[in-house]
């Protein structure tokens, strides 16, 4: 969507990537703490709310952009286990030799809640690991994990893997991604215009193609 925004407004977008939480050098809170010149952040809603409460973002500038469900993937060409029900998903994790998950919202949920919900925390302790900074899909593509689980939009962008599908609804976590303007931005009006553009209904299809569910999509 960046080229269209630039065409409509004459503003040039410079984008960077990093986790919404954590202590790795590219994590958005860490980048703000070290004073990087950032105008807009797009991140997990709960982490964004924390930054807002700390006064690092402009009050009232938050715009909900999309919802993100968790999916699992295997290396391209590998057998795809059935994860369509809770029982089958649990069996797939137990049968896998190695499982990887992220160090952001989905991974924190998998580590701190999902394993307990499935009753397999102890069984998975030796073969499930959290991956800092690197996309989980890349770990799966390299053969370092048999199954990788992360928000669907993340593995969708990685080559060399096959997405199995979403984890069952009963244990699914939908993560909301929102954007807001950084308090130190020198172009707050243009920054807010970007967020309104990204959330516009006419851009819903572009968001859907990334594996996210647009906030403007009520279904």
């Amino acid at each position: 969507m960046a080229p269209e925004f630039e065409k409509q407004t004459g503003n040039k977008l410079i984008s960077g990537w990093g986790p919404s939480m954590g202590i790795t050098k590219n994590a958005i809170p860490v980048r703000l703490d070290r004073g990087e010149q950032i105008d807009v952040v797009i991140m997990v809603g709960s982490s964004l709310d924390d930054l807002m409460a700390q006064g690092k973002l402009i009050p009232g500038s938050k715009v909900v952009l999309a919802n993100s469900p968790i999916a699992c993937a295997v290396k391209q060409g590998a057998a795809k286990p059935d994860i369509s029900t809770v029982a089958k998903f649990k069996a797939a994790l137990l049968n896998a030799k190695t499982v990887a998950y992220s160090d952001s919202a989905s991974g924190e949920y998998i580590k701190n809640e999902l394993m307990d919900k499935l009753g397999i925390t102890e069984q998975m302790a030796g073969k499930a690991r959290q991956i800092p900074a690197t996309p989980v899909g890349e770990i799966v593509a390299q053969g370092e994990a048999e199954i990788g689980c992360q928000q669907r939009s993340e593995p969708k962008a990685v080559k060399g893997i096959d997405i199995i599908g979403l984890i069952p609804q009963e244990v699914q976590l939908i993560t909301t991604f929102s954007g807001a303007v950084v308090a130190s931005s020198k172009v707050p009006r243009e920054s807010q215009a970007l967020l309104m553009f990204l959330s516009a209904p006419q851009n819903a299809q572009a968001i859907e193609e990334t594996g996210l569910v647009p906030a403007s999509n009520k279904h």
Side-chain angles (χ1 to χ4, degrees):
M1 292 184 280
E4 183 61 28
F5 177 76
E6 292 177 338
K7 179 181 176 182
Q8 289 184 18
T9 65
N11 294 322
K12 174 68 176 176
L13 288 181
I14 302 172
S15 60
W17 305 89
S20 293
M21 58 185 70
I23 58 174
T24 57
K25 67 176 183 178
N26 287 328
I28 294 173
V30 175
R31 297 174 75 156
L32 289 176
D33 281 343
R34 66 171 173 253
E36 282 195 33
Q37 185 179 346
I38 300 173
D39 298 301
V40 173
V41 294
I42 298 173
M43 55 196 299
V44 173
S46 57
S47 295
L48 185 147
D49 291 340
D50 289 342
L51 293 179
M52 186 75 74
Q54 295 169 26
K56 295 179 180 179
L57 307 176
I58 296 178
S61 66
K62 177 181 176 179
V63 177
V64 178
L65 300 174
N67 293 312
S68 182
I70 298 173
C72 295
V74 295
K75 189 171 184 177
Q76 191 172 45
K80 297 179 181 178
D82 187 348
I83 62 170
S84 60
T85 68
V86 173
K88 291 177 179 178
F89 177 46
K90 176 179 176 179
L93 294 179
L94 289 173
N95 291 333
K97 294 179 181 178
T98 48
V99 175
Y101 50 88
S102 80
D103 66 344
S104 195
S106 62
E108 288 296 300
Y109 166 70
I110 291 170
K111 179 178 69 173
N112 298 318
E113 298 182 48
L114 178 62
M115 295 301 179
D116 284 340
K117 287 181 179 180
L118 296 175
I120 59 174
T121 301
E122 291 184 6
Q123 297 96 312
M124 298 301 295
K127 61 180 180 178
R129 64 189 180 107
Q130 194 166 36
I131 307 298
T134 305
V136 170
E138 292 183 12
I139 299 298
V140 175
Q142 294 163 10
E144 296 178 27
E146 191 173 321
I147 295 178
C149 299
Q150 194 170 14
Q151 286 146 341
R152 181 174 58 183
S153 57
E154 301 290 340
K156 194 175 177 68
V158 176
K159 295 180 180 180
I161 62 173
D162 291 324
I163 295 178
I164 306 167
L166 299 178
I167 69 173
Q169 185 174 353
E170 297 91 333
V171 293
Q172 177 65 260
L173 174 73
I174 302 296
T175 301
T176 297
F177 280 90
S178 302
V181 181
V182 178
S184 59
S185 172
K186 296 180 174 62
V187 287
R189 185 169 62 179
E190 293 86 346
S191 299
Q192 194 70 51
L194 170 63
L195 292 174
M196 300 311 296
F197 172 82
L198 294 176
S199 64
Q202 62 264 32
N203 290 317
Q205 183 176 349
I207 292 176
E208 287 179 350
E209 289 172 355
T210 69
L212 297 167
V213 180
S216 58
N217 185 346
K218 302 302 181 183
H219 302 289

